[in-house]
């Protein structure tokens, strides 16, 4: 049959008859029918979906298959090779370091199913790569001529993890005193599937306990988790509408707790995204900077006060003085937060200019230039001191001293 152009998928009838030297021709023909098939079948994976991560185990994989061409010899078998992240291969019953792909549990001319045993998901977390390959029924001249799909083409990657994602609150920081809170923000991380969403809770720790409800714009006795927003996977932020104007209390001093929790993109056994859920700590007293997803802060809108003790307006400093080597005073805060910084500025009354440096070549300029004073906080109020021993005070000039 050299030179015959066979059509792939075509069905042919071969007839044979004999003729002798006398010219007699066989009248009862000998005939056979055969099909020409050189194309490999092709298979795909339908479930699990590409790149899916699961938090629950499932009991079967399935997919599609097609024999090529459409008029064909039919499917003989379909095999599936599954490798996990440690290099082990699925044998159908267990895992092995040697690849030995099992056949699928069942198949039709267009679909296949492979059941998975209970020990399939033995490692957590894990990554799986799947390779399906089919072969047809070509058996002539013998079975070695069967068309077989490649067993090295990757058909699907999927994941398994039950570990919870993590989130961190970056604003507000732990133990901070705040006069205003416009945004709670932070980050979220997940090992395999990535963060799906993040929620924030704000709790007023002063009895009776209440929680901020972003959807209704008020405080409620019911624990409430508010959705955070993000332009990408991270960072996340939550901007409480009118939260600052609705803090409980007038001047502040009440302590609040912020918590965050994240969901990842893992799925249940049916393939629906449900997500592993982070469980943040639920402490009612500030443990310090112990948990990244739980931060305590205090609402404080009452400004601190600073007082100048030396020099002051008493008669000692009302008349000219010969020297002034230091200034000092006190400072206090109704709700002590970070009260370790006091700034002092000095202004000439004749030119209305401010002192720019505390050295012998001190300059004066119109802009206020506050100097940080040395502070001491053994109790309340604290004290502050400013060394002015190098300042070249001008003769017969009056000065103002401001502390804040």
């Amino acid at each position: 049959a050299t030179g015959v152009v066979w059509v792939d998928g075509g069905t042919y009838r071969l007839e044979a008859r004999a003729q002798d030297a006398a010219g007699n021709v066989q009248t009862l023909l000998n005939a056979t029918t055969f099909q020409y098939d050189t194309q490999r079948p092709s298979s795909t994976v339908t479930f699990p979906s590409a790149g899916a991560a699961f938090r629950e185990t499932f009991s079967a994989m399935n997919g599609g298959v097609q024999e090529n061409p459409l008029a064909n010899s039919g499917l003989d078998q379909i095999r599936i090779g599954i490798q996990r992240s440690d290099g082990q291969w699925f044998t159908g019953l267990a895992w092995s370091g040697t690849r030995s792909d099992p056949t699928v549990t069942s198949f039709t001319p267009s679909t296949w199913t492979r059941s998975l045993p209970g020990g399939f998901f033995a490692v957590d977390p894990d990554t799986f790569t799947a390779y399906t390959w089919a072969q047809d029924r070509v058996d002539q001249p013998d079975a070695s001529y069967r068309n077989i799909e490649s067993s090295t083409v990757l058909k699907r990657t999927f994941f398994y993890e039950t570990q919870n994602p993590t989130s961190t609150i970056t604003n507000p920081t732990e133990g901070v005193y705040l006069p205003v809170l416009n945004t709670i923000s932070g980050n979220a991380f997940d090992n395999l599937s990535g963060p799906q969403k993040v929620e924030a809770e704000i709790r007023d720790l002063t009895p009776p306990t209440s929680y901020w409800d972003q959807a209704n714009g008020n405080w409620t006795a019911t624990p409430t988790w508010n959705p955070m927003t993000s332009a990408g996977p991270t960072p996340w932020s939550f901007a409480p509408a009118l939260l600052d104007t609705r803090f409980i209390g007038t001047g502040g001093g009440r302590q609040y707790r912020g918590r965050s929790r994240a969901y990842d993109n893992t799925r249940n056994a049916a393939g629906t995204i449900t997500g592993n859920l982070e469980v943040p700590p639920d402490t009612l007293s500030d443990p310090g900077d112990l948990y990244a997803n739980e931060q305590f802060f205090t609402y404080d809108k009452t400004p601190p006060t600073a007082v100048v003790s030396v020099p002051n307006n008493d008669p000692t400093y009302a008349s000219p003085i010969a020297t002034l080597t230091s200034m000092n005073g006190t400072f206090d805060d109704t709700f002590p937060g970070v009260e370790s910084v006091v700034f002092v500025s000095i202004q000439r009354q004749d030119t209305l200019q401010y002192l720019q440096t505390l050295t012998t070549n001190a300059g004066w300029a119109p802009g206020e230039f506050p100097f940080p004073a040395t502070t001491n906080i053994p109790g309340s109020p604290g004290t502050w001191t400013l060394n002015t021993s190098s300042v070249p005070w001008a003769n017969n000039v009056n000065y103002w001293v401001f502390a804040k």
Side-chain angles (χ1 to χ4, degrees):
T2 302
V4 177
V5 179
W6 302 103
V7 177
D8 203 21
T11 300
Y12 297 89
R13 175 182 172 86
L14 177 63
E15 298 179 352
R17 64 182 178 178
Q19 180 177 338
D20 61 18
N24 299 309
V25 178
Q26 178 183 359
T27 57
L28 183 61
L29 299 180
N30 186 12
T32 186
T33 300
F34 67 92
Q35 185 180 45
Y36 186 72
D37 181 0
T38 63
Q39 292 189 45
R40 300 172 179 177
S42 58
S43 59
T44 59
V45 176
T46 303
F47 182 87
S49 57
F54 291 82
R55 58 187 296 266
E56 296 179 352
T57 62
F58 50 89
S59 59
M61 296 176 61
N62 60 62
V65 64
Q66 178 178 302
E67 238 286 58
N68 299 307
L70 295 181
N72 51 64
S73 60
L75 291 170
D76 175 56
Q77 64 176 316
I78 305 171
R79 291 183 177 269
I80 181 168
I82 305 175
Q83 188 178 37
R84 66 187 189 189
S85 54
D86 62 0
Q88 296 280 303
W89 288 90
F90 179 54
T91 65
L93 295 175
W95 294 92
S96 170
T98 302
R99 181 174 182 178
S100 179
D101 295 352
T103 58
V104 298
T105 309
S106 62
F107 67 89
T108 69
S110 60
T111 64
W112 61 265
T113 299
R114 171 68 220 190
S115 61
L116 303 176
F120 183 86
F121 297 95
V123 180
D124 181 19
D126 210 348
T127 301
F128 300 91
T129 51
Y131 309 79
T132 58
W133 51 285
Q135 68 180 39
D136 62 18
R137 293 184 176 276
V138 171
D139 58 1
Q140 297 298 324
D142 55 59
S144 66
Y145 282 84
R146 284 179 177 163
N147 300 302
I148 303 176
E149 184 181 8
S150 172
S151 64
T152 61
V153 177
L154 178 65
K155 299 297 179 65
R156 184 68 85 234
T157 299
F158 59 97
F159 309 93
Y160 173 71
E161 69 160 333
T162 62
Q163 298 177 2
N164 294 332
T166 59
S167 63
T168 61
I169 298 176
T170 56
N171 180 63
T173 56
E174 172 59 32
V176 70
Y177 283 69
L178 296 174
V180 62
L181 180 64
N182 292 323
T183 302
I184 292 180
S185 58
N187 296 281
F189 173 78
D190 183 68
N191 187 43
L192 287 178
S193 62
Q196 174 199 160
K197 62 181 180 179
V198 179
E199 297 173 330
E201 176 199 72
I202 303 175
R203 176 175 178 171
D204 176 21
L205 296 175
T206 303
T209 299
S210 59
Y211 301 83
W212 176 250
D213 183 349
Q214 176 72 358
N216 295 308
N218 57 24
W219 295 91
T220 176
T222 304
T224 303
W225 288 94
N226 304 280
M228 301 181 78
T229 59
S230 178
T234 58
W236 300 83
S237 64
F238 165 52
L242 301 178
L243 177 59
D244 178 60
T245 61
R246 299 186 184 183
F247 270 118
I248 301 172
T250 54
R254 296 171 76 105
Q255 190 178 49
Y256 295 82
R257 184 191 68 182
R259 293 197 300 164
S260 63
R261 68 181 186 185
Y263 295 77
D264 64 17
N265 283 291
T266 52
R267 302 165 185 253
N268 61 18
T272 302
I273 294 179
T274 53
N276 292 309
L277 172 61
E278 176 186 16
V279 181
D282 190 11
T283 55
L284 297 182
S285 59
D286 191 349
D289 201 9
L290 183 61
Y291 304 109
N293 54 2
E294 180 187 63
Q295 304 287 23
F296 288 75
F297 62 95
T298 302
Y299 178 62
D300 182 4
K301 295 200 73 170
T302 303
T305 57
V307 176
V308 179
S309 300
V310 176
N312 58 30
N313 292 324
D314 67 28
T316 305
Y317 300 97
S319 12
I321 58 175
T323 182
L324 182 61
T325 59
S326 68
M327 300 178 180
N328 62 67
T330 60
F331 62 97
D332 200 1
D333 190 14
T334 304
F335 307 106
V338 181
E339 57 169 44
S340 60
V341 180
V342 175
F343 291 97
V344 179
S345 55
I346 304 169
Q347 185 181 31
R348 294 175 61 128
Q349 293 187 12
D350 57 347
T351 63
L352 300 182
Q353 293 183 325
Y354 290 87
L355 183 65
Q356 302 297 301
T357 65
L358 294 171
T359 61
T360 54
N361 59 348
W364 299 82
E368 182 178 7
F369 193 91
F371 300 101
T374 302
T375 57
N376 182 28
I377 321 174
S380 182
T383 60
W384 62 266
T385 303
L386 182 70
N387 186 347
T388 58
S389 60
S390 298
V391 176
W393 303 105
N395 193 33
N396 292 323
V397 172
N398 292 328
Y399 298 88
W400 284 306
V401 180
F402 304 94
K404 57 185 177 181

XYZ file of all heavy atoms in Angstrom, residues 194-244:
395
model
N -3.660 33.305 49.417
C -3.733 34.757 49.485
C -4.932 35.220 50.291
O -5.926 34.506 50.425
N -4.867 36.441 50.856
C -5.987 36.950 51.651
C -7.191 37.276 50.780
O -7.058 37.822 49.689
C -5.414 38.209 52.310
C -4.292 38.624 51.406
C -3.732 37.371 50.821
N -8.356 36.890 51.261
C -9.610 37.177 50.558
C -10.215 38.486 51.036
O -10.613 39.333 50.240
C -10.602 36.029 50.794
C -11.976 36.268 50.232
C -13.029 35.374 50.866
O -14.225 35.666 50.801
N -12.632 34.295 51.519
N -10.289 38.658 52.358
C -10.844 39.876 52.925
C -10.353 40.006 54.361
O -9.878 39.050 54.973
C -12.376 39.869 52.885
C -13.010 38.751 53.701
C -14.536 38.797 53.602
C -15.177 37.669 54.417
N -16.659 37.715 54.339
N -10.459 41.237 54.890
C -10.051 41.530 56.258
C -11.169 42.321 56.926
O -11.817 43.160 56.293
C -8.732 42.330 56.302
C -8.344 42.651 57.739
C -7.618 41.557 55.624
N -11.386 42.045 58.214
C -12.400 42.758 58.987
C -11.758 43.356 60.233
O -10.749 42.851 60.726
C -13.532 41.817 59.390
C -14.292 41.235 58.208
C -15.288 40.173 58.632
O -15.041 39.487 59.629
O -16.317 40.022 57.931
N -12.350 44.442 60.719
C -11.829 45.121 61.918
C -12.936 45.281 62.946
O -14.099 45.522 62.603
C -11.251 46.488 61.547
N -12.548 45.164 64.207
C -13.471 45.372 65.322
C -12.904 46.460 66.231
O -11.713 46.443 66.536
C -13.639 44.071 66.118
C -14.504 44.217 67.371
C -14.264 43.076 68.345
O -13.180 43.047 68.986
O -15.159 42.228 68.461
N -13.745 47.404 66.663
C -13.341 48.429 67.627
C -14.245 48.289 68.846
O -15.475 48.382 68.734
C -13.468 49.844 67.047
C -12.639 49.977 65.757
C -13.002 50.880 68.068
C -12.803 51.295 65.077
N -13.629 48.082 69.988
C -14.394 47.859 71.213
C -14.041 48.916 72.252
O -12.863 49.182 72.517
C -14.092 46.466 71.774
C -14.768 46.188 73.115
C -14.543 44.762 73.559
N -15.139 44.495 74.865
C -15.244 43.295 75.418
N -14.802 42.236 74.768
N -15.787 43.150 76.612
N -15.072 49.540 72.828
C -14.894 50.450 73.952
C -14.786 49.587 75.213
O -15.698 48.831 75.540
C -16.083 51.406 74.043
C -15.998 52.305 75.264
O -14.888 52.474 75.802
O -17.051 52.829 75.680
N -13.662 49.696 75.927
C -13.406 48.823 77.058
C -14.026 49.311 78.369
O -13.931 48.630 79.388
C -11.895 48.631 77.237
C -11.197 47.917 76.072
C -9.702 47.880 76.288
C -11.750 46.515 75.882
N -14.624 50.494 78.339
C -15.264 51.009 79.546
C -16.693 50.482 79.627
O -17.473 50.666 78.698
C -15.279 52.549 79.540
O -13.938 53.029 79.415
C -15.892 53.091 80.819
N -17.059 49.814 80.734
C -18.427 49.271 80.849
C -19.468 50.382 80.771
O -19.218 51.491 81.237
C -18.423 48.602 82.221
C -16.976 48.316 82.504
C -16.220 49.459 81.880
N -20.644 50.136 80.204
C -21.015 48.884 79.544
C -20.340 48.763 78.178
O -20.263 49.745 77.430
C -22.534 48.994 79.390
C -22.783 50.477 79.306
C -21.757 51.117 80.214
N -19.827 47.600 77.864
C -19.056 47.381 76.646
C -19.888 47.685 75.403
O -21.068 47.349 75.334
C -18.566 45.934 76.591
O -17.721 45.698 77.714
C -17.794 45.667 75.320
N -19.271 48.325 74.435
C -19.933 48.586 73.158
C -18.931 48.456 72.025
O -17.719 48.528 72.229
C -20.588 49.975 73.150
O -19.617 50.975 73.379
N -19.471 48.264 70.804
C -18.665 48.031 69.615
C -19.108 49.007 68.526
O -20.285 49.337 68.408
C -18.835 46.598 69.101
C -18.457 45.547 70.113
C -19.372 45.142 71.097
C -17.205 44.946 70.090
C -19.034 44.172 72.025
C -16.857 43.974 71.011
C -17.776 43.589 71.985
O -17.443 42.633 72.906
N -18.129 49.420 67.701
C -18.463 50.318 66.609
C -19.077 49.530 65.458
O -18.521 48.531 64.990
C -17.225 51.063 66.128
C -17.499 51.941 64.935
C -17.089 51.769 63.656
C -18.282 53.147 64.930
N -17.555 52.770 62.852
C -18.294 53.635 63.604
C -18.966 53.846 65.920
C -18.964 54.800 63.246
C -19.638 55.007 65.555
C -19.629 55.475 64.234
N -20.245 49.998 64.986
C -20.961 49.393 63.869
C -20.863 50.345 62.679
O -21.570 51.344 62.613
C -22.422 49.147 64.255
C -23.205 48.455 63.152
O -22.695 48.348 62.019
O -24.338 48.014 63.421
N -19.971 50.030 61.741
C -19.726 50.919 60.606
C -20.947 51.041 59.705
O -21.246 52.111 59.185
C -18.523 50.407 59.803
C -18.216 51.185 58.540
C -17.634 52.551 58.810
O -17.487 52.942 59.972
N -17.309 53.282 57.776
N -21.666 49.947 59.508
C -22.804 49.971 58.587
C -23.892 50.930 59.056
O -24.528 51.612 58.247
C -23.369 48.563 58.429
N -24.110 50.999 60.375
C -25.160 51.860 60.916
C -24.633 53.156 61.517
O -25.406 54.017 61.926
C -25.959 51.094 61.977
C -26.709 49.921 61.385
O -27.436 50.067 60.414
N -26.509 48.731 61.951
N -23.297 53.286 61.582
C -22.701 54.524 62.073
C -22.958 54.795 63.536
O -23.150 55.949 63.926
N -22.967 53.735 64.366
C -23.198 53.955 65.790
C -22.532 52.848 66.608
O -21.951 51.906 66.064
C -24.692 54.033 66.093
C -25.438 52.780 65.645
O -24.860 51.711 65.519
N -26.727 52.916 65.393
N -22.618 53.003 67.935
C -22.086 51.993 68.841
C -23.202 51.027 69.233
O -24.352 51.414 69.390
C -21.507 52.656 70.094
C -20.317 53.510 69.791
C -20.309 54.838 69.483
C -18.955 53.090 69.752
N -19.029 55.268 69.251
C -18.171 54.218 69.420
C -18.309 51.866 69.989
C -16.783 54.160 69.304
C -16.922 51.805 69.867
C -16.178 52.948 69.530
N -22.842 49.752 69.385
C -23.822 48.730 69.682
C -23.266 47.760 70.721
O -22.044 47.617 70.855
C -24.209 47.945 68.407
O -25.098 46.883 68.743
C -22.982 47.367 67.733
N -24.155 47.105 71.434
C -23.731 46.126 72.439
C -23.345 44.798 71.806
O -22.770 43.941 72.478
C -24.853 45.910 73.454
N -23.620 44.635 70.511
C -23.325 43.380 69.815
C -21.933 43.430 69.197
O -21.608 44.380 68.483
C -24.353 43.141 68.703
O -25.666 43.160 69.261
C -24.098 41.810 68.013
N -21.079 42.424 69.461
C -19.765 42.387 68.808
C -19.908 42.492 67.295
O -20.708 41.763 66.689
C -19.192 41.028 69.226
C -19.859 40.741 70.536
C -21.252 41.296 70.405
N -19.184 43.424 66.694
C -19.377 43.736 65.278
C -18.034 43.777 64.562
O -17.117 44.480 64.977
C -20.081 45.097 65.105
O -21.331 45.063 65.808
C -20.320 45.400 63.641
N -17.944 43.012 63.470
C -16.759 43.037 62.616
C -17.091 43.837 61.358
O -18.052 43.542 60.663
C -16.329 41.622 62.252
C -15.719 40.895 63.412
C -16.354 40.062 64.292
C -14.362 40.975 63.830
N -15.469 39.600 65.227
C -14.229 40.148 64.972
C -13.223 41.649 63.361
C -13.018 39.972 65.644
C -12.023 41.476 64.027
C -11.920 40.655 65.154
N -16.292 44.859 61.086
C -16.524 45.763 59.968
C -15.581 45.429 58.810
O -14.391 45.200 59.020
C -16.275 47.207 60.405
C -17.126 47.594 61.602
O -18.299 47.903 61.468
N -16.526 47.563 62.798
N -16.097 45.398 57.583
C -15.242 45.065 56.440
C -14.211 46.160 56.178
O -14.520 47.352 56.213
C -16.232 44.943 55.280
C -17.409 45.779 55.699
C -17.492 45.659 57.185
N -12.984 45.742 55.909
C -11.924 46.666 55.515
C -11.819 46.649 54.000
O -12.275 45.728 53.329
C -10.596 46.264 56.165
C -10.650 46.230 57.686
S -9.079 45.797 58.470
C -8.203 47.361 58.332
N -11.242 47.679 53.450
C -11.144 47.813 51.997
C -9.688 47.752 51.580
O -8.777 48.007 52.360
C -11.751 49.141 51.526
O -11.051 50.221 52.174
C -13.219 49.214 51.875
N -9.472 47.417 50.302
C -8.109 47.352 49.790
C -8.128 47.503 48.284
O -9.025 46.998 47.612
C -7.444 46.028 50.160
O -6.145 45.951 49.618
N -7.112 48.197 47.764
C -6.965 48.328 46.317
C -6.261 47.111 45.733
O -6.244 46.905 44.532
C -6.189 49.603 45.980
N -5.655 46.303 46.575
C -4.940 45.115 46.143
C -4.932 44.104 47.260
O -5.703 44.215 48.209
N -4.073 43.083 47.156
C -4.009 42.083 48.225
C -3.701 42.693 49.580
O -4.283 42.320 50.585
C -2.902 41.148 47.759
C -2.801 41.363 46.290
C -3.152 42.794 46.061
N -2.769 43.624 49.623
C -2.408 44.354 50.839
C -1.884 45.715 50.399
O -1.442 45.876 49.269
C -1.301 43.638 51.648
O -0.145 43.475 50.820
C -1.767 42.284 52.142
N -1.865 46.722 51.244
C -2.372 46.705 52.619
C -3.886 46.910 52.652
O -4.489 47.255 51.646
C -1.656 47.894 53.255
C -1.481 48.856 52.121
C -1.236 48.002 50.893
N -4.446 46.697 53.838
C -5.871 46.875 54.051
C -6.095 48.125 54.902
O -5.248 48.522 55.679
C -6.468 45.664 54.758
C -6.293 44.392 54.000
C -5.194 43.591 54.004
C -7.223 43.798 53.097
N -5.376 42.524 53.169
C -6.616 42.616 52.599
C -8.509 44.126 52.681
C -7.259 41.775 51.702
C -9.139 43.281 51.789
C -8.523 42.129 51.306
N -7.257 48.739 54.785
C -7.560 49.915 55.605
C -9.051 49.948 55.902
O -9.862 49.394 55.161
C -7.138 51.204 54.898
O -7.882 51.400 53.714
N -9.396 50.604 56.991
C -10.790 50.740 57.423
C -10.954 52.154 57.943
O -10.307 52.547 58.907
C -11.093 49.709 58.519
C -12.372 49.961 59.291
C -13.567 50.155 58.629
C -12.366 49.982 60.671
C -14.740 50.365 59.338
C -13.528 50.188 61.395
C -14.715 50.385 60.719
N -11.738 52.948 57.244
C -11.930 54.341 57.620
C -13.285 54.492 58.304
O -14.325 54.537 57.646
C -11.854 55.245 56.395
N -13.317 54.526 59.633
C -14.601 54.627 60.342
C -15.258 55.987 60.135
O -14.715 57.019 60.510
C -14.210 54.425 61.813
C -12.807 53.901 61.784
C -12.190 54.452 60.548
N -16.437 55.995 59.518
C -17.133 57.253 59.247
C -17.565 57.909 60.561
O -18.250 57.297 61.374
C -18.346 56.986 58.362
N -17.169 59.145 60.757
C -17.566 59.955 61.913
C -17.190 59.313 63.246
O -17.744 59.671 64.274
C -19.086 60.211 61.882
C -19.618 60.932 60.640
C -21.133 61.072 60.723
C -18.980 62.300 60.472
N -16.253 58.382 63.197
C -15.926 57.685 64.435
C -15.388 58.638 65.487
O -15.749 58.557 66.662
C -14.895 56.589 64.151
C -14.393 55.806 65.362
C -15.560 55.122 66.057
C -13.367 54.770 64.943
N -14.548 59.580 65.076
C -13.930 60.470 66.067
C -14.974 61.304 66.806
O -14.871 61.521 68.001
C -12.920 61.392 65.375
C -12.296 62.364 66.354
O -11.656 61.905 67.309
O -12.488 63.578 66.182
